Amino acid sequence: MSRSEPPRAASADPAALATRRVDAVRHLLKPHQIRESMALAAQPWQRNAALAGLQASLAAAIALPLTLVSPWPHLVGFASLGTLAALFGRFAPQAGRGRVVLLCAMWLTFAVLAMSAAAGLGAPYPVQVGLLALACGFFFFVATTGQYGPPGALIFVFAAGAAMGHVASWHDVLERATATALAAGLTWVICAGTEALRPLATPEAPFPVEPVRPLDHRLIAAARITLGSAIAAFAAYAAGAPHPAWAAMGAVAVMQGTHLHINMSRALQRMAGTVVGAGLVWLILAQEPSVWSAIAVLVFLQFATEMIIGANYALGQILVTPMALLMSYLAAPGAAGTAMAPERVFDTLVGAGIGIVLAVACSTLDDRIHLARHHVARERREGV
């Protein structure tokens, strides 16, 4: 039974509840859970992924150089955020993708504008961390309600996190939002102009559709994600990490899964992929690449990520991690460097770890029943 169905009433006996959660943990630690996380999935809609990656890469290849040669080269990091709108709506109906990309472009701009405005109003950094946690739950609700598809809330949270910190004036706030909006608008134009290249769904091969959860379930899930991301972000902040938003993203990535075994797979995949990806980006940043070199690598990673992330989330994270850190490098090339790589690993371990703990702690009886049934079926298939 999925989380979109009404939860059953669980026993009020605390000992029974604790036992059921221990059983859930035992299932999640079984060897075939690890094997499931490492498995490669078939990608029947590879052309959709390739087109989304190509559109994002093309937008970045146009928007970022134009920003660099403009009077506002310091806004290139925010322009790169706007190009991520191309990643949404790849499975939308033919007449609906333009609307999805446009809405996501608006939400990306809103995320940058809102967090920059909070910083511009003088909100202390701990207050900004709290606002980021609220944004995690809010954008999860927005993405699931709007059926924007992958990558879901994470991109909006990333945009909000990139806008955290000190903002000198309202002029800076408007500049950031404008750079994001212009790049996102260009991205929408590119997506509209290349829509004819997107393969059409057929009765024999329909697009995958994520069922919309009932409103109360979406609200509860958003509240859980807000709590988990708050704990993760404040834990990273208390440890002195300069980018607690990365820990919040780790919690969101894990907790937005629809079932406990998916939560666990995401946690393992995100941690493993981030460790490898951090090593890769450390090698890149150690060369102190020029801004132009960083853009060239970023354009390539935009496309390559979409080609492999559907097969295995861990493989995707190997490329997502360098992409995210290169965007941070573009936003602040003087302040960002190789030190970001180990911090990204630390923040991800904190966020993903807290995410899976809370996913189990906040799970319903139906969640744990589905987990047990899933593992019984898996053991039968493997002959265990």
Side-chain angles (χ1 to χ4, degrees), residues 311-334:
N312 185 279
Y313 188 65
L315 292 178
Q317 285 303 304
I318 293 174
L319 300 185
V320 167
T321 299
M323 188 167 65
L325 297 195
L326 284 173
M327 285 184 175
S328 299
Y329 179 78
L330 289 175

Side-chain angles (χ1 to χ4, degrees), residues 252-273:
V252 173
V254 171
M255 297 184 72
Q256 69 181 359
T258 53
H259 297 296
L260 282 173
H261 69 279
I262 297 176
N263 298 141
M264 186 62 173
S265 291
R266 281 297 180 94
L268 295 172
Q269 291 168 340
R270 192 168 182 89
M271 286 189 269

Side-chain angles (χ1 to χ4, degrees), residues 7 10 20 36 40 58 87 122 129 142 158 182 187 193 201 234 244 250 264 289 304 333 343:
R20 290 181 182 125
E36 186 174 306
L40 297 179
L58 181 59
L87 303 181
V129 173
V142 167
F158 180 52
L182 288 175
T187 303
F234 277 109
M264 186 62 173
E343 190 213 333

Side-chain angles (χ1 to χ4, degrees), residues 87 106 114 118 129 194 251 288 322 367:
L87 303 181
M106 293 170 61
V129 173
T194 55
E288 298 183 354
D367 293 329

Side-chain angles (χ1 to χ4, degrees), residues 63-76 291-292 295 330:
L64 304 194
L66 286 178
T67 306
L68 277 182
V69 300
S70 76
W72 308 277
H74 58 288
L75 298 174
V76 66
V291 175
W292 292 102
I295 288 177
L330 289 175

Side-chain angles (χ1 to χ4, degrees), residues 356-376:
I356 191 59
V357 168
L358 283 179
V360 174
C362 298
S363 62
T364 66
L365 177 58
D366 282 330
D367 293 329
R368 296 187 289 275
I369 289 174
H370 185 278
L371 175 66
R373 290 174 176 170
H374 172 79
H375 280 285
V376 167

